[in-house]
Amino acid sequence: MRKFIGFLFFLLSLTLRPSAQPDNCGLQISLLTCSPGEELYSTFGHTAIRVKDSTGGMDYVFNYGTFEFSPQFYTEFIQGKLLYYLSVDEFANFMYQYQVESRSVVEQPLQLSCAEEQQLFSALKWNAEEQNRYYLYDFLFDNCTTRARDIIARNTKTPVKFPNILPATPPTFRDLIHTYLDLGGQYWSKLGIDLLLGAKLDRRVSNQEAMFLPDYLKKGLDKARVQEQPVAPITKPVLTMPSPLNAGSWFRPAVVFSLLLAAALVLHWRQRKGYSRALRLFDTVLFLVLGLVGVLLLFMWFGTDHKVTVNNYNLLWALPTHTVVALLLHRNKAWVGTYFQVVFWLTAALLALWAFLPQEMNNAFLPLIMLILFRSWFLSKNTHYGTKNA
C-alpha cells in the first residue's frame, strides 16, 4: 500500500510541476546497487534507478523488481509466466526498507548531458505507465538489473561502451549463481537450482550477459563510456550496514544424503535379523520419491516456458519410471530384477562420467547416487526380496 500511495504522489507531482527544459541541469539520475540479503529472492542483490530534481524537490526510485503475490503466484512462477513490473517509490521509503533488512546501498550518479537525462527520465515515466510497466520476468536475461542497464544504454546519444569485466576464462551462469548462493549459505537453494536447471546454465557468459547480476552491472558502469566520456566515474555509499549473511548450519544436503546412505546400510545389515519390512518400506519410498522428482524435471522441461530447465542430465538418476516400479517393487514380478540391473549399470556409468557431463552436477547428490547404486544392485540380485518367497 505504501508503494501504491507513493506512486500516486509521483504521478501527481509530474502533473503539477512545470515541464523541465533541456537546459535544466537540476536533474540527477543515478544507479543504485543494493547488497545481497538473507532471503533467496534477495541473495543476488538488487538494482534500481534514482531520479532526483534539486529544483523541484523530487526524489524517486524506479524499481523494476516488483511483483504481486497473488493466489496464482506459484503456478505462474513454476510455468515461467510470472509478471514483474516497474514501480515508483519515494527514495526515503526505498532506503528505509534496506535499512530494516541490513543491506548496504551504493550510488553511481550518471554523468549525462541535460538532454540525455531528460530523455532517460521521459523513458522511465513512459515505462511506469500502467499499460507499459509489466514484463515477463526471466532471471538470467530480463530482470530488474538488465532492464536498468538497457534503459540507460538506449537513451544516450551514442551507444554506451562497457569495458570487459570478465577474466580470460569467463565463468558460466551456474558459476556466477553458485558464488552468491555459497556466500549466503543457501545450500539447499543451490541444490534445488542445480536439480531443476539443465545444461544451458553451464554456458559461459558474455560480457553483456554477466550484467544480469547487480554487482556486475555496477562494475561495468564504473568504466563505461559514451563518446569517450565516463558514464559513472564516481561510486559513493548512501547506506552502509553490517551484512546479514551467514555461512549456514551443518544441516546441508551432503550431510543429509550421507545419513540416508548410512541408514540404508544399517537397515540392510539388520534385515538379516528380521527387519526386512523396514528395508522394504525404505526402498519403496526411496524409488517413489526419485520417480516423482523425475516427473517434475520432465514437466519443467516440456511443460513450462523456462529456457534453462531443458536438457537436464539429472534425469539420468531421477528416472520417472521409478514412480511405477516403486509400487510394484515387492510383487514378485520377474522383470523387476532386469529393471534394476539396467538402473545399476546406468548409475555406475553416471558416476564414472560425473565430472565430464555437459552439465555440472551438484556434488551433494553423490551420496544419493551411491545409495541408488547400492539398492539397485541388491534389488537386481533378489527379485523375490520382500515377498513370501524371500
Side-chain angles (χ1 to χ4, degrees):
M1 178 60 73
R2 186 177 72 245
K3 288 185 177 181
F4 178 71
I5 294 174
F7 182 59
L8 290 180
F9 276 113
F10 164 73
L11 293 179
L12 183 62
S13 69
L14 294 182
T15 59
L16 294 180
R17 65 188 292 273
S19 300
Q21 299 301 316
D23 60 347
N24 178 9
C25 290
L27 196 65
Q28 177 61 67
I29 302 179
S30 306
L31 186 79
L32 300 177
T33 303
C34 311
S35 65
E38 291 182 288
E39 302 298 330
L40 177 59
Y41 67 83
S42 63
T43 296
F44 305 94
H46 185 53
T47 299
I49 297 176
R50 180 185 184 185
V51 179
K52 183 179 181 180
D53 189 347
S54 57
T55 61
M58 179 188 68
D59 196 355
Y60 286 99
V61 174
F62 289 76
N63 181 6
Y64 282 98
T66 317
F67 61 88
E68 295 290 345
F69 193 83
S70 65
Q72 296 79 32
F73 174 83
Y74 290 110
T75 302
E76 293 173 348
F77 178 78
I78 291 174
Q79 293 179 342
K81 298 180 179 180
L82 182 62
L83 290 179
Y84 272 54
Y85 62 90
L86 172 61
S87 63
V88 185
D89 199 1
E90 293 182 359
F91 176 72
N93 292 338
F94 181 85
M95 294 302 296
Y96 176 74
Q97 175 185 349
Y98 284 86
Q99 185 176 6
V100 169
E101 296 178 5
S102 192
R103 298 171 61 187
S104 300
V105 180
V106 298
E107 181 178 25
Q108 292 172 286
L110 304 182
Q111 303 299 307
L112 304 177
S113 68
C114 293
E116 288 172 325
E117 287 183 326
Q118 288 292 334
Q119 182 177 331
L120 176 54
F121 186 33
S122 296
L124 288 167
K125 289 187 292 183
W126 181 89
N127 213 181
E129 294 176 3
E130 180 65 23
Q131 68 273 21
N132 303 324
R133 60 180 181 152
Y134 294 93
Y135 69 98
L136 191 61
Y137 179 80
D138 185 305
F139 175 67
L140 298 180
F141 303 109
D142 197 356
N143 62 20
C144 61
T145 302
T146 63
R147 287 262 161 172
R149 176 200 63 197
D150 293 345
I151 200 167
I152 292 172
R154 285 197 302 264
N155 288 280
T156 54
K157 290 182 179 180
T158 59
V160 177
K161 296 180 180 179
F162 289 99
N164 179 49
I165 56 175
L166 298 177
T169 302
T172 65
F173 284 106
R174 199 182 302 271
D175 291 334
L176 294 176
I177 292 172
H178 281 181
T179 299
Y180 286 85
L181 293 172
D182 289 339
L183 183 65
Q186 297 275 1
Y187 301 109
W188 286 99
S189 298
K190 177 180 177 180
L191 186 84
I193 288 174
D194 286 342
L195 174 66
L196 294 176
L197 305 187
K200 284 193 172 183
L201 203 65
D202 295 285
R203 178 171 64 80
R204 298 197 181 277
V205 299
S206 67
N207 193 62
Q208 189 83 352
E209 289 171 337
M211 296 180 206
F212 81 95
L213 291 168
D215 287 338
Y216 281 77
L217 176 58
K218 179 178 75 69
K219 187 177 180 180
L221 208 58
D222 276 340
K223 297 181 180 180
R225 307 183 80 82
V226 173
Q227 290 182 332
E228 303 307 318
Q229 297 299 316
V231 177
I234 300 173
T235 300
K236 58 182 181 179
V238 290
L239 178 64
T240 303
M241 302 292 294
S243 174
L245 304 182
N246 58 71
S249 69
W250 65 268
F251 186 71
R252 301 184 182 185
V255 175
V256 172
F257 291 145
S258 296
L259 291 174
L260 195 63
L261 175 59
L265 292 171
V266 171
L267 286 173
H268 179 76
W269 177 74
R270 296 280 290 179
Q271 65 92 19
R272 297 179 182 180
K273 298 184 179 182
Y275 287 87
S276 60
R277 183 173 298 179
L279 191 55
R280 173 184 177 181
L281 178 62
F282 182 92
D283 287 336
T284 301
V285 173
L286 171 65
F287 286 101
L288 180 61
V289 171
L290 291 174
L292 291 175
V293 170
V295 171
L296 173 62
L297 297 184
L298 279 183
F299 172 75
M300 295 299 294
W301 186 338
F302 296 103
T304 73
D305 293 337
H306 292 290
K307 299 175 183 178
V308 289
T309 55
V310 302
N311 303 336
N312 196 331
Y313 283 75
N314 286 301
L315 281 163
L316 291 174
W317 58 265
L319 299 175
T321 51
H322 287 337
T323 307
V324 176
V325 177
L327 302 177
L328 304 174
L329 194 57
H330 307 295
R331 295 189 180 183
N332 198 17
K333 300 294 183 180
W335 53 266
V336 171
T338 303
Y339 175 84
F340 280 104
Q341 189 174 16
V342 173
V343 172
F344 171 81
W345 287 111
L346 178 62
T347 308
L350 173 61
L351 279 173
L353 299 173
W354 186 263
F356 306 101
L357 294 172
Q359 174 178 333
E360 181 182 343
M361 310 294 276
N362 194 309
N363 288 332
F365 283 122
L366 283 173
L368 181 61
I369 305 303
M370 294 295 295
L371 176 59
I372 297 170
L373 189 72
F374 165 55
R375 296 313 304 156
S376 61
W377 174 82
F378 181 78
L379 291 169
S380 70
K381 297 298 182 181
N382 191 349
T383 58
H384 299 296
Y385 171 65
T387 69
K388 293 181 179 179
N389 295 330

